Structures are given as C-alpha cells and as structure tokens.
Amino acid sequence: DAKTTQPPSMDCAEGRAANLPCNHSTISGNEYVYWYRQIHSQGPQYIIHGLKNNETNEMASLIITEDRKSSTLILPHATLRDTAVYYCIVGAGGTSYGKLTFGQGTILTVHP
Amino acid sequence: EAGVAQSPRYKIIEKRQSVAFWCNPISGHATLYWYQQILGQGPKLLIQFQNNGVVDDSQLPKDRFSAERLKGVDSTLKIQPAKLEDSAVYLCASSPYNYGYTFGSGTRLTVV
C-alpha cells in the first residue's frame, strides 16, 4: 500500500473551515484515498473516500489533486466536537477486501 | 443498525497471564479485523478474517497471539502469555468492503 504524509498537528477556530492536507505521491492507479478520524477513547470513524473525483458527504469534502499525489479533507464549519486525530489512508478499491494501514495521523484541535 | 460490540472495555492483568477479547461484528459484514493501538500511534492490523477464514495474519505475533472467528460471526483474540509491551487498545472492526469500516470502542489492556 502507498504511504501517506500528514502534518502531526493543526489548529482551527470553531466555525471556520478546517483543511487537512495529505501527501500520497506513490499512490497507484487503482488505490483509493480514505479518511477516518478518532475521537479520544473511541474507535476510528469513517469519514469519506475517493478515487480521483472530488467527493462530498454530510461530514466533509475530499479534494484530490489531478495527479492524485495529494488530497485535502475539508470540514466546512468545524465544531469543538471535531477535535480528533484524522487519518489519511491509501488502499485498495472500495469493493475489495484489502486491509487499511493507518499512519500517525493529524491531531486537529478546534478551539473556541 | 447496531454497532460493533467488544468486551471487556478494560482489562488489567499481570505479565505472563492470559487474556481474551471478544468481538461481535455488524450483522452481515463478512470481513472482520483486529487492530492493536499503542498509545500515541495509529492502529496496527493484527489479523483479517473473511467470513471464518484468515486472509492476513502477517503481523500477528503467533507465538503468543491467537484469534478465531466462529461460524463467520463472533471473534475472539487471545494473548498467552502477556508481556508488558502488549499494553494497548485492541480494536475490532467489520466491513462489507474497504470503505465504511465500523470500529468498536475497543478493549484497553494494561499489563503490569
């Protein structure tokens, strides 16, 4: 699986957009980008995933660059409850049964 | 839909003792994963089941760790004998595919 690089920590003001970057320069053509987050003392929670097109759901938006070497997770209006560790993962296609390899992630702190 | 159930929530044992963790995945999810998460790190995959067969156990320390998935539903993870470095949160996840993993809340193991 391709590796990812994320900043270790980021801050964001409540109500503002949080933009979390991820580099995955060795991603292969059939690999997806997945985002999960982990709130303290809970298991990781799925947020969103994408292949090459931008994606949006009720939680977030995912912007993938045209060369697919990097992506950005956008939380449009961050709240205090969005404080968590955010993991960017590259892995096999959505309908396969491969494993997801977690890195260190980005600790996002949303402050009042 | 009911989530992934894990028990116990917490466990404290002495080194060289044995311990077992239980996981009940979401009904109908064919794939089940056990992850180990050491404090400050991302989750690390220990073993992946597809129905009741093992797909990947390459990172499972087989001299002390064992896991089974009975009838393709519930799963147990056992450590025998435990070492201090096994102190971690053990997370179970299930999924129909790669995306949309649902994690349980985990079992926090402390080995003293």
Side-chain angles (χ1 to χ4, degrees):
Chain A
D1 292 339
K3 291 188 176 181
T4 62
T5 303
Q6 299 178 252
S9 64
M10 293 183 65
D11 288 337
C12 178
E14 188 176 22
R16 304 297 294 269
N19 298 290
L20 290 86
C22 179
N23 287 321
H24 31 78
S25 59
T26 61
I27 190 170
S28 61
N30 64 348
E31 288 184 312
Y32 283 64
V33 180
Y34 300 87
W35 283 85
Y36 284 74
R37 74 179 182 183
Q38 188 171 25
I39 296 171
H40 182 62
S41 297
Q42 298 182 20
Q45 174 192 24
Y46 166 80
I47 302 173
I48 198 167
H49 76 286
L51 182 62
K52 54 184 178 180
N53 296 321
N54 297 339
E55 302 287 345
T56 296
N57 64 19
E58 65 277 5
M59 290 182 68
S61 295
L62 174 60
I63 308 298
I64 302 174
T65 58
E66 191 169 344
D67 63 6
R68 301 205 328 121
K69 292 185 177 181
S70 66
S71 61
T72 301
L73 178 74
I74 301 172
L75 307 178
H77 305 287
T79 70
L80 299 179
R81 288 174 293 181
D82 292 323
T83 293
V85 180
Y86 286 78
Y87 296 99
C88 170
I89 304 163
V90 171
T95 56
S96 69
Y97 293 95
K99 64 185 180 184
L100 295 182
T101 301
F102 288 77
Q104 296 283 81
T106 296
I107 300 172
L108 174 68
T109 303
V110 181
H111 52 86
Chain B
E1 111 187 313
V4 175
Q6 288 190 249
S7 67
R9 190 75 172 92
Y10 303 94
K11 190 74 177 178
I12 301 175
I13 62 171
E14 295 183 350
K15 59 183 179 183
R16 292 187 289 274
Q17 284 188 322
S18 303
V19 64
F21 313 125
W22 174 81
C23 173
N24 180 235
I26 291 176
S27 177
H29 282 191
T31 312
L32 185 147
Y33 308 82
W34 282 102
Y35 281 81
Q36 178 193 58
Q37 186 171 25
I38 293 172
L39 186 64
Q41 299 181 17
K44 183 185 86 171
L45 180 69
L46 292 176
I47 189 167
Q48 175 187 350
F49 291 94
Q50 182 68 22
N51 296 309
N52 60 349
V54 175
V55 174
D56 184 349
D57 63 357
S58 57
Q59 297 195 80
L60 187 73
K62 299 180 186 63
D63 58 334
R64 298 184 301 105
F65 286 64
S66 64
E68 61 179 0
R69 189 177 184 194
L70 303 174
K71 300 180 181 178
V73 183
D74 292 6
S75 177
T76 57
L77 176 69
K78 297 179 181 178
I79 307 175
Q80 180 179 9
K83 293 185 176 182
L84 297 177
E85 58 262 36
D86 298 331
S87 293
V89 176
Y90 291 85
L91 294 160
C92 178
S94 70
S95 176
Y97 303 116
N98 258 6
Y99 64 88
Y101 273 31
T102 302
F103 281 84
S105 297
T107 295
R108 182 176 297 277
L109 173 67
T110 302
V111 182
V112 298

